């Protein structure tokens, strides 16, 4: 296997697998993990309910506007909802095992929380809106 393919799989492991495991250890170290667990569950319920309502709007043909927009938003909401589920499970497991986890058990190579992730998403959404307004799709 070439070196670029090996480095690609290493990055996938680091950012996805270790990123999810980070949630497990965050729940074990956090002073109030139940607040975050409730927040994640409420967020997942909200996103799934919006996705289901959008699906019913597609099925009943009650959405007024571009079909590609509602298809894209609905699939995006389902993807966001399904991506929250492993986080909820790991936070619950971390909360359940937090008495057994000590600081020396936490691996050193876990990716850190990035406060700039939200700004990247906002930048991408604002660029999409600007391009959409320019070309009036």
């Amino acid at each position: 296997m070439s070196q670029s393919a090996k480095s690609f799989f290493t990055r996938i492991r680091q950012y996805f697998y270790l990123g999810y495991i980070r949630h497990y250890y965050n729940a074990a170290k956090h002073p109030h993990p139940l607040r975050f667990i409730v927040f994640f569950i409420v967020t997942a319920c909200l996103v799934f309910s919006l996705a289901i309502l959008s699906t019913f709007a597609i099925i009943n043909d009650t959405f007024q506007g571009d079909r590609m927009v509602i298809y894209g938003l609905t699939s995006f909401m389902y993807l966001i909802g399904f991506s929250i589920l492993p986080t909820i499970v790991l936070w619950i497991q971390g909360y359940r095992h937090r008495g057994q986890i000590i600081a020396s058990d936490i691996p050193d190579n876990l990716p850190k929380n990035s406060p700039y992730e939200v700004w990247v998403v906002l930048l991408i959404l604002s660029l999409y809106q600007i391009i959409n307004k320019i070309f009036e799709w």
Side-chain angles (χ1 to χ4, degrees):
M1 201 185 307
S2 71
Q3 184 61 28
S4 62
K6 286 181 184 178
S7 66
F8 176 74
F9 288 125
T10 303
R11 284 184 291 165
I12 290 292
R13 179 184 172 274
Q14 180 182 7
Y15 291 113
F16 289 101
Y17 175 72
L18 291 177
Y20 277 127
I21 297 299
R22 175 188 70 204
H23 294 300
Y24 177 77
Y25 289 111
N26 280 347
K29 294 186 309 182
H30 200 276
H32 304 289
L34 287 178
R35 292 180 189 171
F36 279 97
I37 293 171
V38 169
F39 173 74
F40 289 138
I41 290 173
V42 168
T43 302
C45 290
L46 177 68
V47 169
F48 276 124
S49 64
L50 288 174
I52 290 170
L53 288 175
S54 297
T55 304
F56 285 139
I58 291 170
I59 291 172
N60 296 332
D61 200 23
T62 58
F63 178 74
Q64 298 177 4
D66 189 14
R67 286 197 173 281
M68 292 308 292
V69 171
I70 190 68
Y71 292 155
L73 286 175
T74 304
S75 60
F76 183 69
M77 284 186 279
Y78 278 119
L79 288 174
I80 293 295
F82 285 123
S83 69
I84 293 173
L85 294 179
T87 303
I88 294 171
V89 170
L90 287 168
W91 269 80
I92 291 172
Q93 290 300 319
Y95 175 69
R96 289 179 61 210
H97 299 139
R98 73 186 201 157
Q100 301 166 354
I101 297 172
I102 55 177
S104 62
D105 291 341
I106 299 172
D108 294 333
N109 61 348
L110 290 178
K112 303 294 182 212
N113 289 332
S114 174
Y116 302 109
E117 293 171 352
V118 174
W119 294 110
V120 170
V121 171
L122 288 175
L123 177 68
I124 291 171
L125 288 175
S126 62
L127 285 175
Y128 170 76
Q129 288 294 329
I130 290 169
I131 292 171
N132 193 13
K133 289 294 181 185
I134 290 173
F135 292 112
E136 292 295 326
W137 289 348

